[in-house]
Amino acid sequence: MATQHVPSTRGSLVSVPAARQAYWLLRTVFTVAPILFGLDKFVGLLTDWDRYLAPQIDGLLPGTAHQAMLAVGVVEILAGILVAVLPRVGGYVVGLWLAGIIVNLLLVGDYFDIALRDFGLLVGALALARLAAAFDRPAPWARRR
């Protein structure tokens, strides 16, 4: 099987199979990871999630920090499902969600390393959204007739 190449904007060649593999790797991880992290908000096997909520944000939300983190878990599960179903939109949603997490972690003040890691994930989510524009088929309702 011959490798397909397409010209990039700078005149070099981009391998279509490699780009498609990168797309599927990102789509898989940004589907599975948010769902698993969201589910863990309910069982707490990985960590005590409540300690990651900034007091400033906790003060704005009704209920306890634990209840807020349960809501976060629901949002993360839904974001992972959105990436699975509609990665062109889901990549941007996950990117925005990660931006919110970064702001929260910076407000806490003790988790700069995790905030930096989440910035890397944010860039990956944006890369997924861009690759999805090339490799994901349009939704049936969005196809032109």
Side-chain angles (χ1 to χ4, degrees):
M1 171 195 279
T3 302
Q4 298 174 333
H5 289 87
V6 293
S8 73
T9 56
R10 297 201 172 232
S12 63
L13 296 177
V14 176
S15 167
V16 172
R20 187 178 307 279
Q21 289 168 355
Y23 162 72
W24 278 104
L25 285 168
L26 290 168
R27 185 174 180 177
T28 301
V29 79
F30 283 110
T31 294
V32 173
I35 291 171
L36 291 178
F37 282 118
L39 289 171
D40 194 62
K41 301 297 188 292
F42 292 91
V43 295
L45 294 175
L46 297 174
T47 190
D48 174 16
W49 293 104
D50 300 355
R51 70 183 175 157
Y52 289 102
L53 185 61
Q56 302 91 321
I57 298 199
D58 190 23
L60 295 173
L61 300 173
T64 66
H66 182 69
Q67 291 168 332
M69 292 314 268
L70 293 177
V72 165
V74 170
V75 170
E76 289 173 342
I77 292 166
L78 293 174
I81 293 169
L82 181 61
V83 168
V85 175
L86 197 59
R88 275 185 271 187
V89 175
Y92 290 116
V93 168
V94 169
L96 285 171
W97 186 252
L98 285 162
I101 291 171
I102 291 166
V103 169
N104 173 75
L105 291 171
L106 293 175
L107 288 171
V108 171
D110 290 331
Y111 302 111
F112 298 115
D113 56 332
I114 299 173
L116 182 59
R117 180 214 51 206
D118 284 352
F119 178 75
L121 290 171
L122 183 152
V123 172
L126 296 179
L128 167 64
R130 292 297 299 133
L131 286 167
F135 294 112
D136 189 45
R137 285 184 277 220
W141 62 85
R143 290 189 187 135
R144 294 182 185 174
R145 295 184 174 137

